[in-house]
Amino acid sequence: MIRTVNLKKLYTTEEVETTALDSVNIDIKEKEFVAIMGPSGCGKSTLLNLLGMLDNPSEGEYYFLNEEVSKYTERQRANIRKRNIGFVFQSFNLIDELTVFENVELPLLYLGVSASERKKIVEEVLERMQIMHRRDHFPQQLSGGQQQRVAVSRAVVAKPALILADEPTGNLDSANGEEVMSILTQLNEGGTTIIMVTHSPHDSEFAHRIIHLFDGHVVTENYKEKFHV
Amino acid sequence: MFSNYVRVFYRNLRKQKVYSFINILGLSVGLAVFILVLTYFNFNLSFDSYHKDPERIYLVTSENGSLDGARQRTAYTFLPVANMLVQKFPEIANATVVRQYFRNVVSYNDKKFYERGILFTDENFLKIFNYPVVAGDKQEPLSHPNSAVLTESAAKRYFGNQDPIGKLLKADFSSSGLIVTAVVGDCPPNSVNKFDMVVSLPEGFNNDWGVAGSTYTFLKLEPGADALALESKFHSFVDKRVPVLRDSKIELSLFPLRDIHLKSMDINSGFNITSSMQFYLILAIAIGLLIVVSLNFMILSTSRYTNRAKEVGIRKVAGAARKDLVLQYIGESVALALMALPLALMLFELIRPAFIAAVGGGVELNLMNDPAALFIVLAVDLFVGFVSGIYPAFYLSSFQPASIIRVAKPKGRGLLSLRKVLVVSQFALTFVMIAATLLLMKQLSMMSKVYLGYNRDNIITIPCTFEMAKKFDVLEKELKTNPKIVMVAEAHILPFSWGRQEKMRLEGTGKDNSESVFSYPCGYNFIDILNIKMARGRSFSRQFNDEKSIIISEEAAKHFRLDNPIGKKIILDDRGEVRTIVGVAENFHFPHVVFKKSPAVIYFLPSQPFYVYVKTAGPPDDRTVSFVRAKWNKVAPSLPFDYFLLENQFQEQLRTSTRSLEVFEFISIISELIAALGLFALASFTAEKRTKEIGVRKALGASSGNITYLLISEFLLIVLVADLIALPFAYYLSEYLVNIAWIYKTDVNISLFLITAAFSIVAALSAICVQAMKSAGANPVEALRYE
């Protein structure tokens, strides 16, 4: 599903050039659950953003569903993104001015899904995530765990093939964290590919494979036995 | 999708109530003032448009040389000119003459009024001009001598609810009285030649070359006739066929009726005209205000948008394309601007009466009857909304979603610098506007005090008719019994009005040398009561027989090239008189202070007073006025007693002729307030952005004073930069304003700009101080936690 060849990302300011990622070659297959780990500043989130096409790499190739997308324009990337990728962030990133329902509905709006269809899909997802009773609340009125369930609902509502999660439990207590991980696992079992950046060794246990990054390089990749393609 | 945009828009509006309110209010105020000026502009442009085919109606003007060499154009011609032209030139469909008398007493039973708005004219008047007859003879109400057509208001004044048709009015100019033959609707306020009463000219009058004075000639051309081509034929026609005009070297020309109101400032007339310069100044400053308001709107909008960078990121992650976001944010900006419109319309209604009073009344401002203005206002509003949304929309939507999402608070540096540029522009513009306003105020103050060669203090002025001439001596004697009354004089004019222009020349020169000179007939004591100083010779006096005497100004003496004028004789061609110069007056400026000073003569003509001047020792009190009233009613019971103070009238006339400038002041002050509002918003925004920095600085030991200084100094710098940028523009504009318009010029000096700068600094300080002190006074822990 995903293949990168010598992926590199430089951040340049007026005086300093920082290499966030260098020569990253990874291969992720469909239905895989991959955890990316490493110390702060090693380039985990940068890699996730490149894989999610939120940003373009400075060098290297990126094949998404066998398509080389590293030189794509923002419009082309947006087009691929909205059809194939869902995002879950550590800080939830919900729009404060929108209700739970409206936040979850957002990707469907940009996909041009009709209002009746949207209502049906969103309610189904909210039911599944057990957050239906909060559908008309605003994000500030919810607990952290509830907010993250809304964020996961939004990530899955358009039925993407890939979910990218950046420290999805980072802002949650252990009970809520556990719940989110179990949701991600269920999604993966349902066929969704998941790539998750995490600091937590516990969370990484849910993944089939762990990619370790250090100073922008992939240092090790550990496969777990339970996943066989 | 649309409903999603509307919901987000509405919720953001509610969340940022203060910003939204300031933003909408600022734009509303600007739009309301713009609507006022626009409707005022259109009102002034609409003068006499209500007549049928107004573009085919022309005024015939006369132009001849004057003593100081300048060509002088007047709106007056001779009575027979209309008939001669219509008979000779087939391009002229119709012609009418209109004579306007200065003041007459008209009465019906016990109701007696001074009428200042009587027009003497012929039956063509109502065919050329569109005043629909509402009662009486609709065909030819002016075809018989002594017929009078009244406006509805005048009819009501004389007859109340009675039917006025066929009633007989008494008038001091008609022994047989006037028969009311018709009533027409009141003249619309956008008329250059308003009247209360139209009276038919006496028969045979149309052939009288002796009557020049205040005769207007109007022509209505045939459809498609070329006015310029017609005008070019006038010269040879006059040369061959009209010896009276040829000998007086008078050239006839045409002036479009529709242009009289705004473009005839240099034509001597009694029309209701406006200085187009002031008029365009107001339009310019209203556009200035609109720019300030738009900048303000943009500054506040960009502040609002920066807080929404996260939303942009999330929307992008959720699949929004750039065009979706651009549309959303421009749409929001346009919607916000549209919300200002109803409020602007309400404000317009609210401030309209004050505005009308400020411009001196007699103005009709109605937006709903003015689809063009309505369209312009809507277009301007949409444009402001669109332009304000366009930069933030494109700027925000250009962010990589990753950078917005990862950094919880976006840098927004681009928007902040844009905002600084906007604030600098806004303050620079208001600096120029305030400087121009202060300059105009200074100019007005100077003109109200400038010495014009005569004294207007403590003079009670009572309008009268020629009837007073026979009673003046008695009145003077009666009034002088009061020791508070110093002097009583007979006057033909107010010393700040256009005089007559009469053709005159030195004895011994041919008629070819006759030039037009401003002339002021007067009675006894006129020169002394105004304290006009004599440079040589004497003033008029009862000790001499002055019926054939004349006094000329020093300027006139210079133009006549007379080294020793006393005893020399001047021929007044229009009057067919020879008068002897008995005195040379030090230069006095009689046309109003806003008009240019010209050579002038004063001659003795006690039989035609229009005013009696009563000079008191010190300002006149109520008892003195009552005394004058009692004596007046005793000596001249047939003349209504009405009075004003000469100085007050001078100031009033100055205010009237410069009344538009009050609007100018009003608009400038509004602009400064709105600019300050914009700064307030920017200060709040910056304080919010720098909360963390403030917290760190305080944690490291900065005092509240240090922080307040830090925040204030940044903004003061912006304002000072704006002032410096604006300074050369303000200087050149001030020089330009002073030089284009005024005879007496105030000086443009540094103090003007220092006051302006102080004004902008005070406005800026009051806008940012509260916010700066609030931020500086906050607990540092809160600031750090907030971040």
Side-chain angles (χ1 to χ4, degrees), chain B residues 645-661:
Chain B
L645 299 182
L646 199 60
E647 174 64 18
N648 291 1
Q649 186 70 14
F650 173 85
Q651 297 298 347
E652 179 58 35
Q653 198 171 322
L654 179 62
R655 255 200 304 281
T656 308
S657 62
T658 55
R659 64 199 169 196
S660 315
L661 300 180

Side-chain angles (χ1 to χ4, degrees), chain B residues 623-726:
Chain B
R623 281 183 58 186
T624 315
V625 172
S626 302
F627 175 80
V628 175
R629 184 197 309 269
K631 294 297 177 194
W632 181 278
N633 289 339
K634 184 179 154 198
V635 174
S638 59
L639 296 176
F641 178 85
D642 196 9
Y643 81 101
F644 52 82
L645 299 182
L646 199 60
E647 174 64 18
N648 291 1
Q649 186 70 14
F650 173 85
Q651 297 298 347
E652 179 58 35
Q653 198 171 322
L654 179 62
R655 255 200 304 281
T656 308
S657 62
T658 55
R659 64 199 169 196
S660 315
L661 300 180
E662 284 180 28
V663 177
F664 200 90
E665 286 165 30
F666 167 75
I667 296 177
S668 302
I669 290 169
I670 298 256
S671 302
E672 185 71 50
L673 286 177
I674 288 177
L677 267 186
L679 198 63
F680 168 78
L682 188 66
S684 317
F685 171 79
T686 310
E688 206 177 288
K689 289 277 133 203
R690 294 174 74 173
T691 306
K692 183 179 170 193
E693 178 197 337
I694 293 166
V696 173
R697 281 177 185 271
K698 289 192 83 173
L700 294 176
S703 68
S704 296
N706 296 142
I707 302 290
T708 308
Y709 174 76
L710 178 81
L711 292 174
I712 286 179
S713 57
E714 182 184 329
F715 287 103
L716 279 189
L717 190 68
I718 292 180
V719 173
L720 286 175
V721 166
D723 287 359
L724 279 176
I725 291 174

Side-chain angles (χ1 to χ4, degrees), chain B residues 95-136:
Chain B
T96 184
V97 288
V98 178
R99 279 181 65 74
Q100 193 159 21
Y101 279 13
F102 188 61
R103 183 181 305 118
N104 299 101
V105 179
V106 177
S107 61
Y108 178 74
N109 295 338
D110 58 336
K111 287 183 181 162
K112 186 195 299 175
F113 300 100
Y114 273 133
E115 284 295 345
R116 304 190 58 155
I118 299 183
L119 303 184
F120 293 82
T121 183
D122 51 35
E123 65 270 21
N124 292 333
F125 180 79
L126 291 173
K127 290 175 187 157
I128 292 179
F129 297 108
N130 193 21
Y131 299 106
V133 174
V134 294

Side-chain angles (χ1 to χ4, degrees), chain B residues 472-542:
Chain B
F472 178 74
D473 289 351
V474 182
L475 181 72
E476 184 185 13
K477 205 184 238 170
E478 291 274 353
L479 290 175
K480 290 284 278 292
T481 57
N482 187 330
K484 279 197 176 158
I485 292 172
V486 180
M487 202 183 287
V488 185
E490 263 183 304
H492 194 281
I493 51 129
L494 298 177
F496 33 84
S497 54
W498 286 104
R500 299 179 181 195
Q501 281 169 285
E502 294 186 49
K503 307 288 285 181
M504 54 189 77
R505 60 195 154 103
L506 283 177
E507 195 183 42
T509 57
K511 249 191 164 178
D512 275 4
N513 292 314
S514 201
E515 298 289 359
S516 184
V517 182
F518 279 99
S519 60
Y520 300 93
C522 72
Y524 287 113
N525 302 333
F526 177 77
I527 290 178
D528 305 300
I529 208 167
L530 292 174
N531 202 16
I532 294 173
K533 304 257 178 10
M534 299 303 294
R536 269 186 267 179
R538 62 171 178 85
S539 135
F540 302 127
S541 161
R542 281 196 171 91

Side-chain angles (χ1 to χ4, degrees), chain A:
Chain A
M1 182 179 216
I2 283 174
R3 186 160 66 90
T4 69
V5 181
N6 291 330
L7 210 57
K8 185 170 185 174
K9 182 71 187 174
L10 297 172
Y11 287 114
T12 315
T13 62
E14 277 166 27
E15 288 165 11
V16 191
E17 193 178 77
T18 316
T19 306
L21 287 177
D22 199 7
S23 309
V24 173
N25 296 294
I26 54 173
D27 213 332
I28 295 169
K29 305 209 163 30
E30 275 175 35
K31 298 180 188 169
E32 231 185 321
F33 189 155
V34 177
I36 301 172
M37 295 191 74
S40 290
C42 70
K44 304 185 294 290
S45 294
T46 304
L47 178 60
L48 201 72
N49 287 333
L50 293 183
L51 297 181
M53 283 175 261
L54 296 180
D55 210 347
N56 269 345
S58 309
E59 282 175 29
E61 293 156 24
Y62 174 26
Y63 294 90
F64 184 82
L65 295 174
N66 298 322
E67 214 173 320
E68 217 290 83
V69 297
S70 65
K71 304 282 186 301
Y72 273 20
T73 61
E74 164 59 16
R75 180 193 293 215
Q76 290 169 309
R77 285 185 282 139
N79 208 20
I80 298 179
R81 215 161 48 216
K82 71 178 171 188
R83 289 171 203 290
N84 298 292
I85 308 175
F87 291 86
V88 179
F89 302 95
Q90 176 180 359
S91 53
F92 323 133
N93 278 332
L94 299 174
I95 297 179
D96 295 340
E97 288 73 31
L98 295 181
T99 62
V100 165
F101 184 94
E102 289 159 358
N103 263 292
V104 174
E105 181 193 31
L106 211 53
L108 300 179
L109 277 174
Y110 290 115
L111 282 170
V113 178
S114 73
S116 57
E117 187 75 0
R118 283 201 308 267
K119 186 167 181 289
K120 204 177 105 198
I121 299 172
V122 172
E123 283 176 354
E124 205 178 279
V125 173
L126 291 178
E127 287 286 5
R128 186 144 48 100
M129 296 293 163
Q130 294 168 13
I131 197 83
M132 187 61 182
H133 59 294
R134 294 286 206 169
R135 55 169 282 167
D136 293 326
H137 287 75
F138 287 94
Q140 335 44 314
Q141 297 169 312
L142 305 181
S143 71
Q146 287 170 328
Q147 287 193 48
Q148 195 59 303
R149 266 190 277 161
V150 177
V152 175
S153 306
R154 186 181 61 194
V156 303
V157 74
K159 299 195 173 64
L162 173 65
I163 286 183
L164 299 175
D166 192 354
E167 304 263 14
T169 64
N171 280 359
L172 301 178
D173 59 29
S174 59
N176 278 312
E178 202 65 33
E179 208 174 314
V180 167
M181 285 317 299
S182 106
I183 293 171
L184 290 178
T185 308
Q186 282 169 31
L187 287 169
N188 178 242
E189 284 164 2
T192 311
T193 310
I194 293 182
I195 304 174
M196 173 179 74
V197 163
T198 182
H199 265 118
S200 156
H202 172 262
D203 289 355
S204 69
E205 288 298 315
F206 291 84
H208 308 144
R209 175 157 62 118
I210 302 173
I211 297 174
H212 286 277
L213 285 184
F214 188 77
D215 282 353
H217 295 274
V218 175
V219 284
T220 54
E221 288 190 55
N222 303 334
Y223 278 92
K224 293 197 179 159
E225 286 175 12
K226 63 179 172 185
F227 184 76
H228 301 285
V229 180

